[in-house]
Amino acid sequence: MAALRPAFYTDELFVGQNAALSKTITETDIILFSAVSMDTNAIHLDEEYAKTTRFGTRIVHGMLTGSLISSVLANRLPGPGTIFLSQSMKFLAPVHPGETITATVTVTEVIKEKNRVRLETVCSVNDKRVLEGEAVVLSVARPQK
């Protein structure tokens, strides 16, 4: 299998560069994420229980929301071959089933000699931030000729 070229090699990255993707969270997404993560908290799965909580309805797993950041990093910026080194996340507001999350990453620093990139990470619903944080990734160096 041939190696995939990243969307951007380290030397092509610059401060301010960004990429995003959007996904509407379905019931199937929630059930599958619960199964894979083993997070079966009733706040995500049981509407009757969720009505008794401060949210008054079910909410999407915070880490499901945050996982969209990984998708942007792995598929768009920097792209295939990117490796997570760290990720901080602050959850600002709940996401509800059926809402569309937009995950955006923005380059804030490029450390070319180490092939590392620092990025602001944000997830939003209807232009309202629901998650913000910072990622540091190992990006792909351009192959030497």
Side-chain angles (χ1 to χ4, degrees), residues 1-140:
M1 178 177 196
L4 289 175
R5 183 201 192 283
F8 299 94
Y9 289 115
T10 305
D11 64 355
E12 297 173 313
L13 297 168
F14 57 89
V15 172
Q17 190 174 11
N18 63 57
L21 66 75
S22 296
K23 176 168 181 41
T24 301
I25 303 300
T26 66
E27 185 67 21
T28 300
D29 295 326
I30 294 166
I31 291 168
L32 290 173
F33 191 83
S34 280
V36 170
S37 68
M38 298 190 306
D39 178 350
T40 58
N41 186 333
I43 191 73
H44 308 304
L45 302 171
D46 183 338
E47 185 62 39
E48 290 308 308
Y49 169 78
K51 286 178 184 177
T52 69
T53 70
R54 65 188 288 182
F55 300 108
T57 189
R58 291 170 49 220
I59 60 172
V60 173
H61 298 77
M63 294 307 289
L64 173 53
T65 299
S67 72
L68 297 179
I69 294 165
S70 180
S71 183
V72 180
L73 295 170
N75 297 308
R76 304 220 171 139
L77 182 68
T82 299
I83 302 296
F84 252 125
L85 297 176
S86 67
Q87 171 73 56
S88 67
M89 287 187 254
K90 181 176 181 183
F91 298 95
L92 306 173
V95 175
H96 299 96
E99 290 186 320
T100 301
I101 302 167
T102 300
T104 305
V105 303
T106 303
V107 175
T108 59
E109 181 182 14
V110 180
I111 308 165
K112 289 183 182 178
E113 60 278 1
K114 292 186 175 184
N115 290 308
R116 292 188 183 198
V117 184
R118 185 177 311 276
L119 305 103
E120 175 189 39
T121 56
V122 174
C123 291
S124 57
V125 172
N126 296 324
D127 295 321
K128 176 184 177 186
R129 285 184 176 210
V130 296
L131 180 155
E132 61 188 16
E134 179 182 83
V136 177
V137 300
L138 184 61
S139 56
V140 178

